[in-house]
Amino acid sequence: MKFINTLREGERLSGIYLCKHKQAAVTKNGKPYENVILQDKTGTLDGKIWDPNSQGIDDFDSLDYIDVVGDVTSFQGSLQVSIKRVRKASEGEYEPGNYLPVSSREIEPMYQELLACIAQVKNPYFHRLLVTFFEEDEEFVKRFKGNSAAKTVHHGFIGGLLEHTLSVVHLCLYYCKAYPILNQDLLVTAAMLHDIGKTVELSQFPMNDYTDDGQLLGHIMIGAEMIHDKAREIPGFPKKLESELKHCILAHHGELEYGSPKKPALAEAVALNLADNTDAKMETLTEIFRTAGEQKDWLGFNRLFESNLRKTTCGE
């Protein structure tokens, strides 16, 4: 098989891919067709079956591994594949590790690094709260290690939530050294917990899609509720500390239009927003440049950055 990130317009695609999504649709002329999203560990590819009842188009469902033959085309600047033949693949024909995107860093060493950060938190209530989540709640730990940090955009891979959280924690530790006004225990605790709601907002791989609670509530609200529930189990947890911590979570997207119910009112909330935004955008750029491969030209307008992007060329 050829990995999705290596495909180019005009190529013939032939190989086994994960069908992440399948949906029946109808053209403007009333002709039925099917939308398919193919996935491997390098990304996803939009596919169309224009004649679903034709010979060579066998039955399959979402989350099946499928053997696909089709032509790679371009539509509105994005690649897609016109599927000519497809069948459901059998176990043993494919290696599952080729189809699920995984962090380039090893999961367990990252998690141990995160646990070491808990030891730096001196406030007994914050420390106990972190231990309750990251050391004692086995189901939470399993989901936290395996979840992505987003459906798309950045850290959309197994271990992505862990990798993103660890990066945000390290940025916040630097901020604490540079800016003494910051309460390190509050900021580091908030950094470690800021995206825990994503363990509920997003389903696990291979789906990695929004759950009902994800659609209705979102990870910010879910995370604040999770913190409230755990804090109630800790005898004497101060209400003021809980409110300040939850404020950092509720404000960590920085702006109301970006999904935060509150704008930052504490220095720690401002710092958390900056750290979260920094890591998200730098990882997004990393993934854009990785996808571009050896391409040295301008990469085209990007809606997130509202700019045409390209790699730097100094030193070449």
Side-chain angles (χ1 to χ4, degrees), residues 56-109:
I57 303 298
D58 294 347
D59 290 335
F60 66 95
D61 294 311
S62 297
L63 303 185
D64 283 341
Y65 290 93
I66 55 177
D67 190 2
V68 178
V69 176
D71 296 321
V72 180
T73 61
S74 180
F75 179 72
Q76 295 183 345
S78 298
L79 292 182
Q80 66 175 218
V81 58
S82 176
I83 296 174
K84 307 301 183 183
R85 297 198 305 275
V86 61
R87 67 173 180 85
K88 183 177 177 179
S90 301
E91 284 190 33
E93 291 188 85
Y94 54 86
E95 170 53 53
N98 288 332
Y99 301 92
L100 301 178
V102 181
S103 172
S104 60
R105 301 179 61 185
E106 293 186 25
I107 302 296
E108 201 53 41

Side-chain angles (χ1 to χ4, degrees), residues 249-263:
I249 306 305
L250 294 173
H252 82 263
H253 278 191
E255 301 289 344
L256 302 180
E257 57 265 37
Y258 296 157
S260 274
K262 296 292 292 182
K263 295 191 67 171

Side-chain angles (χ1 to χ4, degrees), residues 7-53:
L7 295 174
R8 298 292 180 264
E9 183 180 1
E11 290 185 347
R12 169 55 68 102
L13 177 147
S14 179
I16 296 176
Y17 298 87
L18 174 66
C19 174
K20 186 175 183 181
H21 182 70
K22 177 186 179 184
Q23 183 179 38
V26 179
T27 67
K28 293 180 180 179
N29 297 327
K31 183 180 179 181
Y33 72 99
E34 291 180 341
N35 285 311
V36 177
I37 297 178
L38 304 179
Q39 175 177 300
D40 66 22
K41 66 181 181 180
T42 69
T44 59
L45 178 66
D46 184 36
K48 307 292 182 187
I49 302 177
W50 295 114
D51 193 357
N53 297 315

